[in-house]
Amino acid sequence: MAFDPDVKNKVWSVWSSLHDFPRGKMTRYPGWKERAHGGVALSTDGGKTWQPSVEGMSDNSATTSIIIDPKSAPNNRTLYATVYNKGVFKSTDDGKTWTLKNKGIGENTCAFEYHAHVERNTIPRCQPDTGSQERQARKGVLCRCSL
């Protein structure tokens, strides 16, 4: 979840029909991508109601993490979301629309976690989607993206 630091009761959340990322049990069977749904949702009433916001990423986006650029303008926030097996999406219009921004990630688009970087770039943690959870944790990499 990402709470707007300046606009009371405004919060973005991510959702997915899959769970237990980055464990391979959710992705080892053929056809898992067809069953993967998700995206970003926005609440302006403190979480009582939610509106999906998936334009540009579609609702087949198993979204796992979101961060807000707190230096972006209120009501026109820049947001970053990780979508498993698609990569990194960026919104510069308060989450209304999303654009894929995978420059710097390479072929591994299994991004599932964000960390804010001190230079205002973001670093998603990219993870292979096969094998045991313990083995995956050792193989995960941090990918610096040019966003």
Side-chain angles (χ1 to χ4, degrees):
M1 295 181 88
F3 294 88
D4 193 303
D6 297 313
V7 181
K8 185 178 179 180
N9 293 321
K10 191 172 198 177
V11 60
W12 293 266
S13 181
V14 298
W15 58 280
S16 172
S17 62
L18 303 176
H19 58 86
D20 291 347
F21 287 120
R23 292 181 61 198
K25 79 177 201 171
M26 294 306 296
T27 58
R28 72 177 138 223
Y29 299 109
W32 74 268
K33 292 177 189 175
E34 289 79 34
R35 295 188 311 270
H37 297 283
V40 175
L42 169 66
S43 175
T44 56
D45 57 12
K48 293 178 186 170
T49 61
W50 296 91
Q51 292 297 316
S53 172
V54 295
E55 185 177 329
M57 70 171 61
S58 75
D59 72 349
N60 68 344
S61 301
T63 310
T64 56
S65 181
I66 189 167
I67 62 171
I68 185 172
D69 180 349
K71 295 181 180 180
S72 57
N75 296 312
N76 201 31
R77 294 291 187 192
T78 297
L79 301 150
Y80 301 92
T82 53
V83 177
Y84 198 75
N85 203 51
K86 288 188 179 183
V88 177
F89 283 83
K90 179 180 181 179
S91 173
T92 57
D93 60 4
D94 226 32
K96 294 176 186 77
T97 60
W98 297 90
T99 304
L100 189 62
K101 295 287 186 177
N102 280 347
K103 184 177 179 183
I105 290 181
E107 293 181 23
N108 183 357
T109 58
C110 296
F112 74 92
E113 184 177 0
Y114 262 132
H115 297 279
H117 190 273
V118 294
E119 295 172 1
R120 284 197 42 193
N121 288 333
T122 56
I123 302 179
R125 182 174 176 199
C126 303
Q127 195 80 9
D129 63 358
T130 58
S132 72
Q133 183 175 9
E134 180 182 345
R135 197 165 57 239
Q136 286 180 352
R138 289 193 307 264
K139 289 184 180 179
V141 297
L142 294 178
C143 306
R144 184 177 185 137
C145 297
S146 300
L147 301 171

